Structures are given as structure tokens and as C-alpha cells.
Amino acid sequence: MKRIRKLQSVTVRRRVVRAAVIAGVAAAVAVSGSVSAGAGTSGVTMAAVRTDAGERGRTDPAWRGQVVSVEHLRTLSAGRVAAELKGDEAGAWDTGAVRYGVDLYRVVYRTVDALGRPTTASGLLALPRSGDHRLRTVSFTHGTELFKGDAPSVAKDVWGQAPALTYASAGFATVLPDYLGLGLGPGPHPWMDVPSETTAALDMLRAARSFVPKTGRQLERETLVTGFSQGASAALGLARALQEGADPWFRLGAVAPISGAYAFKDVELPALLAGDTNDKAGAIYAALTLVNFNRLHHLYDSPSEVFRTPYDTTIEGLLDGTHPGREVEENTPATVGDLLTKKGRALLEHPTGPLAAALRVADGVCTDWTPRAPLRMYYAQEDEQAVSANSEHCRADLRARGADVPLTDLGTPQYGGSRHLGTQQAGTAAVVRWFRSLDRT
């Protein structure tokens, strides 16, 4: 997921909690406000949504990926890029791949919500100030953000835009979707809903391809896909869609997910319930899972069924994307045990019905396809949010389907006191080196 980000390092630094939520606590924060909490989506299962998403990829209406607006945010020289990356107060980023200056743009584009209905989303586009007219593209999908204002295209700190600066300054056109409901997107965010993360990421690529010629360049067909935490699952979802021909232009070049919660049902949920993750992060991820999946799949009628007092009256509003991470952190309990009722805990311990179906879709990024492009997975031991067994479990599933998947241990990275956040920083440095080493095809 990502950082509960400042949440993840909550015990060390009490800055804004960004919700880097367990790389795999993939849940689903309602989709752009289309379904009110408790209303459910009778008859619509996660499996149905995933299938529909695949079909939409092949029968796109003309407005999918259409640019609504583009705003040039800033221009940085190579020296300024390096200075920003080195100057992050929570921990300097690797600048070894910095070669060029960068132009940053905020793009608003047309896409579909989790039920396939027209909506808009925003994202960040970073272009290298190089002499190349044909640019290879990197798609980076970010980790969990609790607050709309922390998404890449609107982020004010280094963390939110560091991957864009790293890849673009190395020479890649870099595309970072905010996802539905984050950044300038309407409504709440359908957290860990892989199908809508996939369509948002694919349509952001299309919007970028439409705009980039206005700068005198064009995007090559090959797309290098990576992402962190929540975005690691999203990256695998996008990679699967590209391999299956969801877009007639873009094709999959390579995949490099970092610290995902790919085995949400069998690994991540048991870990947070057992207290094997950071306590505060575990409580927030548990809340995100129930609140967000309920918005899409109707798991409960009243919050009091699953959340203890006083959180039953506050938690749904607190997780609507309009509250900064610090506020979420300060108004959620210290542990999962303080948050959940017996029924709430039972739902997560033994998922059935709509929740079980939703989790199968989320975990399907490792179980229902065989990658044909080069794929490397990155993780760190003793990750306090996305436990390392997630990556081992995913690699085993992919290998069982015939895929060769090297698993790279990033060691013991730290960012703001968090091992999980540190994997994004260390993983970005490792992935940009790998992507640069790959031949154009």
C-alpha cells in the first residue's frame, strides 16, 4: 500500500500520515462516490468488475483517456532535480541516474469508475529535458494515500514526486496516475480495487500519449511498469492488461513491483490481525479494508456491527479522502483490537461472500496470468506493513504458472523510521538501473 506513509513511520515521526498502507492491504475505498456506504452494489461482484474492466480495455469509447486539461507545474534543471532528491528531510534519494532536467505536468483525463461509468481522474506526467524525440515510458503506481492532497499530481513534498523525478531525469517519460478519487478526481477513492486502478493507469497512459506530441516528442510503444505497496498490485494489474492487448498502441516491456500486499487474504490480513505489522498501520489498514470494500460490496449495514465505539460513528467519514493523514492517525485507535468488534474481526479472519470474492480479485494479480515480459520483484525483510511473505507467496504463484520471477531483497532500508517506506526509496534506485539496462525492443 504504501506509506501510511507518514503513518507507517508514525512511531518515529509524527508527520502527516500518508497511508502507505501495507503494500497489499488492497481494499477498495468507494468509487468516485458512486456508491454510498452501506448501500452496496447488489449483483456486482469484484470478479464481475474485473471482467468488465478487461472488456472495456478492448472496446474503449473514444473518450477513454481523453485529455480534459493539462497544467505545466514546473521546470527543473538536472542540478535542481538532484538537489530536491538529496534534500528530502526524511532521507536522501539516490541521484545516480540523474542525467536531465525535467518538466512536470498535471493531467486531468476521462476514464471510468469502478462500475464502468464515465468519470475523470488526474495524474502527474514528467518528461525529460533531453534531446530524444521518442521516449520510452515508465508507469509508476503509488502506494496508499489517505488524503487526496497527497497524490502525485498535487503533492507538496519530495516523497510524492520523487519517483517521477528519478525516472524522468534518467530519460524516461514518466506517468503517475493519482487513481480514482485522489488528486483532482471526484468522490472517494476505491482503495485496492485493482480493476479501477488498472483502468485509471491505462487511461493516464493514453492521455499522456495524446499530450506529449505537443511538446515535440512521442511515446514509444514499450511501457515499463512499476509501483510501490498498493501500487505494486496496481502495477501487476496494468501489466496484465497491457499483455492481454487492452490498448492497441502500448505494449508491456518489463515489470518491477515493490513491496506489495499481493496475498491479502492469506498473508497480509492474518499478519495485521496477529500483530505482525505496525500496530497503528494495522488498525488503519483494517479500517480501510472494511470501509472501502463495504462501499463497493456491502459487507455490513451499520458501522457499529464491525467497529467499536466511538469509531463506529467517525471512521467512515474519516476515511473519505478529505482528512489529512495526521488527522486520521490521531483519530484512529492504537491497535486492531481496539477498533474491531467480534463480527468485524471475524469478517477479516474468515472472509466469505462478497469480501472473499473481492480479495480473490485483488490477489489475482499473482494467480490468474503468466507474465511473458521480464519481471523482477523487490522487497525488504521485516517490512512492518507489507510483510515479506506477500512477495514470496506471489513469486510462488507466478512460478507455478511458468513465470521466471527473481525476488530481490533490498536489505534494511529506512525512510523516516519506516522499513516499508524505505523500500520505495531503495526500490526506485534499483528499478531505474534495471530499466536503463534493458534494450529497446
Side-chain angles (χ1 to χ4, degrees):
M1 315 243 183
K2 168 185 153 175
R3 344 170 229 186
I4 263 192
R5 182 202 141 160
K6 306 235 166 173
L7 192 236
Q8 302 181 102
S9 52
V10 56
T11 59
V12 181
R13 311 178 67 230
R14 297 189 63 85
R15 283 174 63 187
V16 209
V17 171
R18 266 194 197 174
V21 182
I22 302 176
V25 180
V29 167
V31 305
S32 53
S34 58
V35 182
S36 60
T41 53
S42 182
V44 181
T45 66
M46 279 289 274
V49 173
R50 198 192 92 66
T51 300
D52 291 347
E55 290 305 310
R56 287 198 303 270
R58 293 176 174 78
T59 58
D60 301 329
W63 47 263
R64 285 278 305 276
Q66 184 180 91
V67 173
V68 174
S69 65
V70 177
E71 179 182 356
H72 181 258
L73 300 177
R74 54 192 184 129
T75 296
L76 295 83
S77 66
R80 183 58 190 166
V81 169
E84 285 205 11
L85 293 175
K86 289 179 180 178
D88 189 339
E89 63 181 26
W93 295 72
D94 188 289
T95 58
V98 175
R99 297 289 184 276
Y100 308 106
V102 173
D103 283 302
L104 296 174
Y105 302 86
R106 181 187 300 123
V107 180
V108 177
Y109 59 98
R110 301 190 188 283
T111 186
V112 290
D113 69 14
L115 300 182
R117 299 173 300 199
T119 189
T120 59
S122 56
L124 182 67
L125 172 64
L127 298 179
R129 296 180 67 81
S130 64
D132 293 337
H133 294 289
R134 294 176 59 85
L135 300 173
R136 283 198 293 176
T137 304
V138 169
S139 172
F140 177 87
T141 40
H142 65 80
T144 300
E145 295 292 359
L146 298 173
F147 181 49
K148 290 174 177 285
D150 286 332
S153 79
V154 293
K156 301 300 183 184
D157 61 359
V158 180
W159 171 273
Q161 297 189 346
L165 297 178
T166 298
Y167 291 110
S169 66
F172 298 99
T174 310
V175 178
L176 295 85
D178 291 335
Y179 304 142
L180 299 178
L182 295 176
L184 302 185
H189 164 56
W191 183 64
M192 284 307 291
D193 177 44
V194 174
S196 65
E197 291 167 356
T198 298
T199 52
L202 182 60
D203 291 343
M204 177 64 187
L205 280 171
R206 291 166 169 157
R209 185 186 174 217
S210 174
F211 168 72
V212 166
K214 295 178 173 59
T215 71
R217 275 82 60 83
Q218 62 180 12
L219 302 185
E220 294 186 353
R221 300 186 68 186
E222 178 185 75
T223 305
L224 306 169
V225 178
T226 182
F228 165 65
S229 196
Q230 175 188 349
S233 292
L236 289 174
L238 175 62
R240 176 178 57 193
L242 291 174
Q243 179 172 289
E244 293 175 352
D247 185 84
W249 174 258
F250 292 107
R251 64 187 180 193
L252 181 61
V255 197
I258 304 167
S259 298
Y262 318 103
F264 201 50
K265 175 180 176 293
D266 294 329
V267 173
E268 191 61 38
L269 284 176
L272 72 87
L273 290 171
D276 294 335
T277 63
N278 173 276
D279 286 340
K280 172 64 80 167
I284 292 180
Y285 292 141
L288 281 169
T289 302
L290 291 172
V291 169
N292 295 323
F293 276 123
N294 187 59
R295 288 170 174 163
L296 283 177
H297 308 292
H298 189 45
L299 309 181
Y300 56 82
D301 293 320
S302 169
S304 62
E305 296 176 34
V306 295
F307 298 115
R308 294 180 181 274
T309 303
Y311 308 109
D312 59 329
T313 62
T314 61
I315 198 71
E316 291 187 333
L318 195 62
L319 298 177
D320 66 359
T322 67
H323 300 272
R326 181 184 294 277
E327 184 179 346
V328 175
E329 176 194 335
E330 293 174 347
N331 290 280
T332 47
T335 69
V336 172
D338 295 329
L339 173 72
L340 301 178
T341 64
K342 289 183 179 179
K343 178 178 179 178
R345 188 177 185 91
L347 274 173
L348 298 183
E349 284 182 333
H350 305 291
T352 60
L355 179 57
L359 294 174
R360 281 195 297 273
V361 172
D363 296 344
V365 295
C366 298
T367 62
D368 69 0
W369 71 303
T370 302
R372 295 192 296 271
L375 188 156
R376 292 185 180 182
M377 301 182 70
Y378 297 80
Y379 79 112
Q381 292 289 343
E382 300 180 9
D383 187 318
E384 82 282 4
Q385 291 189 54
V387 296
S388 59
N390 278 292
S391 296
E392 295 159 359
H393 200 286
C394 183
R395 178 178 66 166
D397 285 336
L398 290 170
R399 282 187 165 181
R401 297 181 63 85
D404 179 23
V405 185
L407 186 56
T408 301
D409 187 340
L410 294 168
T412 58
Q414 293 285 330
Y415 179 91
S418 168
R419 179 73 56 81
H420 183 59
L421 299 185
T423 63
Q424 166 160 311
Q425 196 175 59
T428 297
V431 173
V432 74
R433 289 194 296 269
W434 182 45
F435 282 173
R436 288 183 64 204
S437 74
L438 297 175
D439 293 333
R440 276 183 161 91
T441 57

